[in-house]
Amino acid sequence: MAQPLKGREVHLKSRPKGEPTKDNFELVEAAVPEPTDGQVLVRNHFMSVDPYMRGRMNDAKSYVPPFKLGEVLDGGSVGQVVRSRSPDLKEGDFVVGGTGGWREYAVAPAKHYQKVDPSVGPLSAYLGVLGMPGMTAYVGLFDIGKPAAGETVFVSGAAGAVGGVVGELARIKGCRVVGSAGSDAKVKHLREQLKFDDAFNYKSGPVAESLAKAFPEGIDVFFDNVGGEHLEAALGLMKNHGRIVLCGAISQYNATAPTPGPRNLMLAVGKRLTLQGFIVSDHGNRRADFLRDMGGWLREGKVSDVSTVVDGLDKAPDAFIGMLRGDNTGKMLVRLVKDA
Ligand code: NDP
């Protein structure tokens, strides 16, 4: 009789106070259950580490429930169906899911996965430019920021998974786009590889000063991934009727107490600004448009598939902690199958 399948998974051992450490995680080997009716067994090739997971490590109510102590973490994954008990997916299909990450093998209802076409882009791209971060950039910029050709766009966190795509989409739209990032190497990447019109290192000086130099004529659309000092500085430079897309506030995710500011929110009144938050999972109705457009732009070389890859499930906590510190350029991924 065949040995039951075993796989490694990463559990939440303790909740972080401030910045997560490796002690908050535990690598565990567990039996992989057989799929039941409607389920599939997927061998993960890549898993995603994302900023929102930091919020789920706290015992706090949010738009997604907290991770449970002593249980496997969860998140995005791409892989191949090994066994299927569903008519919708067959063995050998490549799939992406918002779930099933942080483990080598996942068993889940087939409806939690979407079949992907590996000829459009590499499998890993379905966690980046062709996946949730790309879709965040697409709906956030086009549906909420609504930039017009010739307008000016500022992106914070520009060298990351979402930010890089926002910049390239703004260029496709015919906008002038400037990004901020946390190192000179990332600034060079934005200017040279992603063809941003300009970029600056936010660690080199006050954001307000760098922004004033980059936008002498003001900002029409600000796509904010960072919050805090970035948001305050951008408010000061927004043009009348400008739009601020509130995508994230990563400068505050490890904060242990509520963070005040921006201090100049009153400017939104006089400048008639629109500030709008959004959550990408509310915009599933745009997925077909997104895949059509982004797949086409990827083939034409108008958007880039940029990632930083860490090998092995045992390194997933390092990848996550490193992503929060800025170790990644493009999408931070963990590769679980050698040569995937
Ligand atoms: P990234 O790939 O951008 O990785 C995170 C980056 O944040 C790091 O590389 C680092 O880059 C930067 N960072 C970390 N700390 C700070 C800080 N104190 N100040 C400025 N930058 C910092 O992640 P994603 O692209 O996946 O996510 C980007 C943002 O989008 C996050 O805020 C995330 O929560 C949000 N998001 C929102 C979604 C939604 O539905 N609203 C969906 C997906 C993501 P650097 O070296 O430049 O500091």
Side-chain angles (χ1 to χ4, degrees), residues 215-293:
F215 287 103
E217 74 290 24
I219 302 168
D220 291 297
V221 175
F222 173 34
F223 192 108
D224 192 15
N225 290 311
V226 169
E229 187 190 355
H230 274 83
L231 182 53
E232 185 167 307
L235 275 164
L237 282 157
M238 294 302 292
K239 292 192 200 173
N240 286 349
H241 303 286
R243 284 84 69 204
I244 299 185
V245 183
L246 298 170
C247 178
I250 197 162
S251 65
Q252 293 160 17
Y253 293 175
N254 284 325
T256 47
T259 319
R263 294 166 296 181
N264 56 353
L265 190 57
M266 182 61 195
L267 288 175
V269 178
K271 295 186 184 203
R272 295 87 156 169
L273 302 181
T274 305
L275 288 79
Q276 187 178 336
F278 76 105
I279 294 296
V280 63
S281 52
D282 295 342
H283 298 263
N285 61 325
R286 294 281 275 145
R287 188 174 150 80
D289 298 335
F290 158 72
L291 282 173
R292 181 200 59 223
D293 291 345

Side-chain angles (χ1 to χ4, degrees), residues 48-53 63 132-133 136-137 139 156-164 180-183 186 201-203 223-227 230 246-254 277-283 322-332:
S48 178
V49 287
D50 294 274
Y52 76 86
M53 293 169 178
Y63 65 96
M132 186 276 277
T136 302
V139 296
S156 60
V162 174
S180 67
S183 74
K186 289 188 181 186
N201 180 348
Y202 70 86
K203 292 179 182 164
F223 192 108
D224 192 15
N225 290 311
V226 169
H230 274 83
L246 298 170
C247 178
I250 197 162
S251 65
Q252 293 160 17
Y253 293 175
N254 284 325
F278 76 105
I279 294 296
V280 63
S281 52
D282 295 342
H283 298 263
M323 178 275 300
L324 290 174
R325 286 182 186 160
D327 289 353
N328 58 309
T329 300
K331 176 71 197 129
M332 183 64 114

Side-chain angles (χ1 to χ4, degrees), residues 35-41 83-89 107-113:
T36 56
D37 276 353
Q39 290 187 325
V40 285
L41 166 62
R83 255 170 255 161
S84 177
R85 297 274 309 267
S86 160
D88 300 328
L89 291 172
V107 174
K111 62 176 188 238
H112 289 182
Y113 287 104

